[in-house]
Amino acid sequence: MQQATPVNPAAVRPIAILGGTGPAGTGLALRWARAGEAIIIGSRDAQRAQATAAKIKQSAGEQANVSGMENAAACASADLLMLTVPFESQATLLKQLKPAIRAGSILIDATVPLAAGVGGRASRTLGVWQGSAAQQTAELVPKGVSVVAAFHNVSADLLNGDAPLDCDVIVCSDDPDAAQLARKLAAKIPGVRAIDGGKLENSRIVEQITALLIGLNIRHKGHSGIRITGLPPESYQ
Ligand SMILES: NC(=O)c1ccc[n+]([C@@H]2O[C@H](COP(=O)([O-])OP(=O)(O)OC[C@H]3O[C@@H](n4cnc5c(N)ncnc54)[C@H](OP(=O)(O)O)[C@@H]3O)[C@@H](O)[C@H]2O)c1
């Protein structure tokens, strides 16, 4: 078990992970809790959120600052939100949570619009009218909330482990400050480099890469990720 970096109370800006009880949410929570971030696990069920938070604390160490609550309460308690729910529930959940999302919040969206596949394994994406799952999110959040698309190509299995990752995170947003913050969070995960992927509309391409990675994982029985090469060193955070 790796011990979490102690939380600096003066620097605490909690990250609320909506749908944080699934593998993508718990993996990000674990890595950020180890890096000293304060984490709120969000769920439709407060008890499930608390049980998940307790498990993450066990892996991250007693110093870790991880709590759990129902999704709306999590939105009300944080202005930095991470969305990790299946695409088919994304729109309905965001409509429900809209009144609870604080003005000026940043919402980082990892949703991939996957089509259901044979045996529950999907390796192709659905068309999204808005262009991408993240652009759909941008339409559904309250005005003034900045949406960032990131973390689509990182394996949740690997995030939930202890080893450094071998993956770049491409971050897309129309708000440069929000994107910068998301890149800083990505770079807190050992082995991850964050790269500015430009405008939110580019999330369409990044989301689709995940379908390719899932297909590769099925074919080669692995946990693939991506590395972008050839950019100047300052491009990688
Ligand atoms: N798994 C990966 O490797 C990975 C990597 C990158 C991106 N992603 C993307 O990240 C998202 C989450 O992935 P995941 O594998 O963690 O998904 P998941 O396990 O299927 O779902 C995550 C959580 O979403 C909540 N949820 C499920 N159905 C819901 C509904 N109808 N309404 C509201 N909440 C619902 C559940 O939490 P509660 O039941 O506790 O509310 C669940 O634990 C997906 O969009 C996925 O494409 C996944």
Side-chain angles (χ1 to χ4, degrees), residues 18 40-47 49-50 68-77 93 96-97 100:
L18 311 172
I40 301 171
I41 297 293
S43 166
R44 289 168 290 181
D45 180 297
Q47 280 187 345
Q50 286 155 13
M69 54 187 84
E70 197 271 323
N71 284 320
C75 289
S77 305
L93 182 68
Q96 283 166 5
L97 294 179

Side-chain angles (χ1 to χ4, degrees), residues 197-219:
K199 289 196 155 298
L200 192 67
E201 66 185 34
N202 290 341
S203 57
R204 180 176 55 84
I205 303 159
V206 183
E207 290 172 8
Q208 287 182 10
I209 291 172
T210 305
L212 175 68
L213 296 177
I214 293 170
L216 291 173
N217 292 345
I218 294 169
R219 184 166 304 116

Side-chain angles (χ1 to χ4, degrees), residues 3 12 30 40 42-43 50 52 80 95 99 105 120 126 136 161 170 177 208 213 227:
Q3 284 298 313
V12 168
L30 177 64
I40 301 171
S43 166
Q50 286 155 13
T52 303
L80 184 49
K95 282 177 197 161
S105 292
L126 296 164
Q136 173 169 277
I170 299 176
D177 294 336
Q208 287 182 10
L213 296 177
R227 284 294 194 200

Side-chain angles (χ1 to χ4, degrees), residues 31-141:
R31 298 299 182 138
W32 286 332
R34 283 181 179 155
E37 297 295 322
I39 305 296
I40 301 171
I41 297 293
S43 166
R44 289 168 290 181
D45 180 297
Q47 280 187 345
R48 189 158 53 242
Q50 286 155 13
T52 303
K55 269 195 204 154
I56 293 167
K57 251 176 109 82
Q58 259 180 8
S59 298
E62 263 319 296
Q63 307 225 46
N65 183 344
V66 190
S67 56
M69 54 187 84
E70 197 271 323
N71 284 320
C75 289
S77 305
D79 66 357
L80 184 49
L81 310 174
M82 178 77 226
L83 185 65
T84 54
V85 293
F87 175 68
E88 57 270 25
S89 57
Q90 184 202 40
T92 309
L93 182 68
L94 286 171
K95 282 177 197 161
Q96 283 166 5
L97 294 179
K98 194 170 182 178
I101 297 177
R102 287 158 55 172
S105 292
I106 292 172
L107 189 151
I108 307 170
D109 193 353
T111 309
V112 181
L114 291 172
V118 179
R121 302 177 95 183
S123 57
R124 64 183 183 86
T125 52
L126 296 164
V128 185
W129 190 84
Q130 290 83 352
S132 67
Q135 287 171 289
Q136 173 169 277
T137 291
E139 271 198 9
L140 293 169
V141 293

